[in-house]
Amino acid sequence: PFKTTDEVTINFKKMKNKEWHYPLDEDKVISPFGGKRPNHKGTVIKTKAKDKVKAAFEGVVTFSGEMRGYGNVVFISHPTGLETRYSHNSKNLVKKGEHVKAGDVIALEGKTGNATTEHVHFETRIGDQAFDSELIFDHKKHELRDVKLTATKKNGTINVKVK
């Protein structure tokens, strides 16, 4: 995103059920975006060890490996300009360059990196700027929100809003 324009819009209102999937089937959020630690850039979602982690949207795996703090992590770039990250996996099941569809199993839940319990650290980003996934997902209902997201880049800063 932001290569030819200073604004990116993603209309989640128009997405059909098969175009998105909640990252875990049975879960609860144990720490929201921001969390208890400064600069915590994801939502911490917990189910049980080695539960199947699923791609939230269709896209291409841009990173699958180990990363300091994240442990085993998968990054997926989506055609909309959105990037999702899934970390602390016990095992990554996809490789860089793979195309995935919404709902494809991409990893198994774990506690690698700086994790103290099994969970998935789920991040949503635009232009490397993390934003609260609660803006697009109702984490309690496991539903995609009926919103239009707009990200604007000005003077190197990215601002994300939903309507």
Side-chain angles (χ1 to χ4, degrees), residues 52-53 64 74 89 91-95 98 105-108:
K52 294 174 182 173
V53 180
S64 179
V74 173
N89 308 319
K91 184 176 185 178
N92 292 346
L93 301 174
V94 292
K95 294 185 180 355
E98 261 184 73
V105 178
I106 58 168
L108 300 177

Side-chain angles (χ1 to χ4, degrees), residues 22-28 45-48 51 109 142:
Y22 196 74
L24 292 162
D25 289 330
E26 308 255 341
D27 73 335
K28 66 178 181 178
I45 306 170
K46 182 175 177 59
T47 58
K48 59 187 180 291
D51 205 355
E109 185 174 347
H142 298 178

